């Protein structure tokens, strides 16, 4: 005997079972049986017959409910999947019964809503990525009306589940209204805070002291001179070229302050000690290129990107005696071409 519990439809009249007790034939009435009783396979729950597809799960349907124009709605394509019909047919039925679908039941997404919907869901559903025409959105009342115009058992079953999903979502919003308001407030407060921080940073940048195009350092101002040249090195975004007869490991230490990706080249005279220091430096830090200067060379220059700075003393001696740093109008290529 197969037992079925659920919402099955009963068929036929009460049936009669012939039994034999004490050698006599007797008739006993049997309760009506359900359709699923006649299945050749054992069924534990008749509800499984109508909900064996995951697309009918409550959580799946709830995930398809969107908020557009302050209304909870579902998109025509998603409804068509649930009703097991094509989107085109669903919309055709709506147009044929347009008097049943006022704007508070059904509306078409505008351009902004369409692009926003497509950008949010195209990555999770490739089918939506190719949608060219703005879809229609159905409110809870519109979904209820769809079942009456589609006229299919699948549409009726799906509509019941969709209506329950709308109710569950509405109950969730009511129960968590204070929390959602709080989250919205925090998001708004965060945006306002970020905007204020951006304004403050812009003001700080505008009011911060700019690198002067020239500076003079009296004797003994070693730190001030070192800091000034360090700031020049940090300001480089592409290249640093130093032309100086006398360079030691202090200059290599200075050039470690440059930003990532900034190339560094030193034009100086040949020195075994300097080459040894340079080799050890390049084994650990981004490479500094060495180019040997001609023997007869006097002035010192520091090229930062496309600006040339004339140095009154070697970097290692800046501030030991009175010296100046001056930005020149001449191009780097002019300086670099003088001894080639």
């Amino acid at each position: 005997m197969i037992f079925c519990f659920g919402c099955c439809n009963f068929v036929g009249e009460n049936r009669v079972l012939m039994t034999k007790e004490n050698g006599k034939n007797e008739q006993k009435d049997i309760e009506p049986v359900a359709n699923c009783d006649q299945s050749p396979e054992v069924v534990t729950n008749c509800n499984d017959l109508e909900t064996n597809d995951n697309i009918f799960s409550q959580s799946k349907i709830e995930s398809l409910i969107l908020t557009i124009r302050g209304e909870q709605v579902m998109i025509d394509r998603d409804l068509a999947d649930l009703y097991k019909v094509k989107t085109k047919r669903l919309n055709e039925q709506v147009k044929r019964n347009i008097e049943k679908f006022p704007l508070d039941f059904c509306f078409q997404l505008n351009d902004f809503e369409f692009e926003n919907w497509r950008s949010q869901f195209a990555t999770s559903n490739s089918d939506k990525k190719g949608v060219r025409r703005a879809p229609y959105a159905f409110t809870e009342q519109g979904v209820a009306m769809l079942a009456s115009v589609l006229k299919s058992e699948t549409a009726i079953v799906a509509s019941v589940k969709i209506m329950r999903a709308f109710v569950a979502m509405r109950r969730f919003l009511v129960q968590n209204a204070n929390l959602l308001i709080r989250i919205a407030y925090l998001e708004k407060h965060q945006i306002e805070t970020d905007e204020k921080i951006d304004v403050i940073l812009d003001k700080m940048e505008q009011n911060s002291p700019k690198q002067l195009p020239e500076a003079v350092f009296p004797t003994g101002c070693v730190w001030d001179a070192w800091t000034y040249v360090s700031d020049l090195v940090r300001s480089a975004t592409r290249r640093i070229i130093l032309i100086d007869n006398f360079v030691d490991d202090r200059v290599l230490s200075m050039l470690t302050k440059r930003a990532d990706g900034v190339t560094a080249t030193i034009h100086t005279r040949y020195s075994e000690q300097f080459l040894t220091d340079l080799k050890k430096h390049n084994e650990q830090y981004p490479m500094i290129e060495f180019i040997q200067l001609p023997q007869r060379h006097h002035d010192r220059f520091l090229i930062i990107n496309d600006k040339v700075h004339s140095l009154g003393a070697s970097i290692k001696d800046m501030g030991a005696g009175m010296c100046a740093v001056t930005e020149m109008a001449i191009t780097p290529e002019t300086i670099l071409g003088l001894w080639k």
Side-chain angles (χ1 to χ4, degrees):
M1 177 66 70
I2 300 174
F3 293 91
C4 178
F5 303 92
C7 52
C8 298
N9 294 322
F10 291 98
V11 295
E13 301 295 333
N14 288 1
R15 295 186 297 176
V16 178
L17 176 65
M18 298 299 297
T19 64
K20 189 173 183 179
E21 295 183 6
N22 300 323
K24 297 180 180 180
N25 291 330
E26 295 183 0
Q27 295 183 351
K28 291 186 178 181
D29 290 340
I30 307 176
E31 294 296 327
V33 297
N35 285 332
C36 54
D37 285 341
Q38 303 175 26
S39 172
E41 298 181 0
V42 176
V43 180
T44 58
N45 190 342
C46 291
N47 290 330
D48 291 337
L49 295 176
E50 67 176 31
T51 61
N52 57 0
D53 192 346
N54 288 334
I55 199 168
F56 285 100
S57 66
Q58 190 79 6
S59 59
K60 174 66 176 178
I61 297 175
E62 290 178 8
S63 69
L64 298 176
I65 298 177
L66 310 177
T67 300
I68 302 177
R69 303 183 190 179
E71 296 281 348
Q72 286 185 299
V73 300
M74 292 188 70
I75 301 301
D76 53 7
R77 300 171 65 83
D78 296 328
L79 287 168
D81 288 340
L82 294 172
Y83 293 148
K84 302 298 184 182
V85 297
K86 293 183 178 180
T87 306
K88 181 178 180 181
R89 180 175 179 273
L90 183 146
N91 288 327
E92 286 177 350
Q93 289 296 102
V94 172
K95 291 178 181 179
R96 291 171 184 170
N97 300 272
I98 194 63
E99 71 282 353
K100 297 182 179 181
F101 294 91
L103 288 178
D104 56 334
F105 280 33
C106 172
F107 59 86
Q108 188 173 22
L109 272 60
N110 59 37
D111 292 342
F112 175 78
E113 294 165 342
F114 177 39
E115 290 301 324
N116 186 47
W117 169 78
R118 186 161 58 177
S119 64
Q120 289 186 47
F121 297 96
T123 55
S124 60
N125 190 334
S126 58
D127 185 43
K128 292 175 182 171
K129 190 174 182 180
V131 179
R132 297 181 179 179
R133 182 178 299 176
Y136 286 87
F138 291 81
T139 63
E140 184 175 347
Q141 296 88 341
V143 172
M145 189 62 69
L146 272 176
S148 66
V149 299
L150 291 177
K151 299 177 180 178
S152 71
E153 292 185 6
T154 301
I156 294 173
V157 173
S159 292
V160 170
K161 292 183 174 293
I162 294 172
M163 299 305 294
R164 288 173 178 169
F166 271 104
V167 172
M169 290 294 291
R170 187 162 55 250
R171 185 182 298 117
F172 172 82
L173 293 175
V174 171
Q175 293 175 347
N176 297 275
N178 291 333
L179 177 61
L180 296 174
I181 292 174
R182 180 61 177 168
I183 292 175
Y185 171 78
L186 291 175
E187 289 179 347
K188 180 181 178 182
H189 183 70
Q190 182 64 44
I191 293 174
E192 293 175 349
T193 302
D194 291 343
E195 291 175 349
K196 291 178 181 178
I197 291 175
D198 290 339
V199 172
I200 292 173
L201 292 176
D202 291 340
K203 289 292 184 181
M204 291 176 61
E205 184 176 355
Q206 295 173 6
N207 298 328
S208 61
K210 300 295 188 294
Q211 188 81 12
L212 297 175
E214 60 182 29
V216 178
F217 303 100
T219 300
C221 294
V222 178
W223 176 252
D224 290 343
W226 181 267
T227 302
Y228 183 87
V229 179
S230 296
D231 289 340
L232 285 176
V233 169
R234 293 189 185 96
S235 68
T237 57
R238 290 192 300 107
R239 64 176 180 176
I240 299 173
I241 301 174
L242 174 64
I243 303 170
D244 193 338
N245 278 322
F246 305 101
V247 177
D248 61 13
D249 57 342
R250 287 172 288 182
V251 176
L252 301 179
S253 177
M254 168 76 72
L255 292 179
T256 59
K257 303 176 187 294
R258 72 186 192 274
D260 294 339
V262 176
T263 62
T265 305
I266 297 177
H267 295 253
T268 188
R269 291 183 179 179
Y270 179 85
S271 165
E272 288 288 348
Q273 182 61 55
F274 173 70
L275 291 181
T276 299
D277 293 339
L278 180 62
K279 180 180 179 181
K280 293 183 178 298
H281 170 279
N282 289 347
E283 290 177 355
Q284 181 176 352
Y285 294 100
M287 188 187 74
I288 297 175
E289 184 182 4
F290 162 71
I291 298 178
Q292 185 172 342
L293 276 174
Q295 292 298 317
R296 301 181 63 181
H297 197 280
H298 184 273
D299 287 352
R300 294 155 289 268
F301 302 94
L302 178 63
I303 298 174
I304 304 294
N305 298 331
D306 294 320
K307 293 183 179 180
V308 179
H309 301 268
S310 175
L311 306 178
S314 295
I315 288 181
K316 64 184 182 64
D317 300 323
M318 292 285 289
M322 188 177 71
C323 62
V325 178
T326 306
E327 183 179 321
M328 304 179 68
I330 195 169
T331 64
E333 286 66 34
T334 301
I335 294 293
L336 297 173
L338 290 178
W339 60 84
K340 291 183 180 180

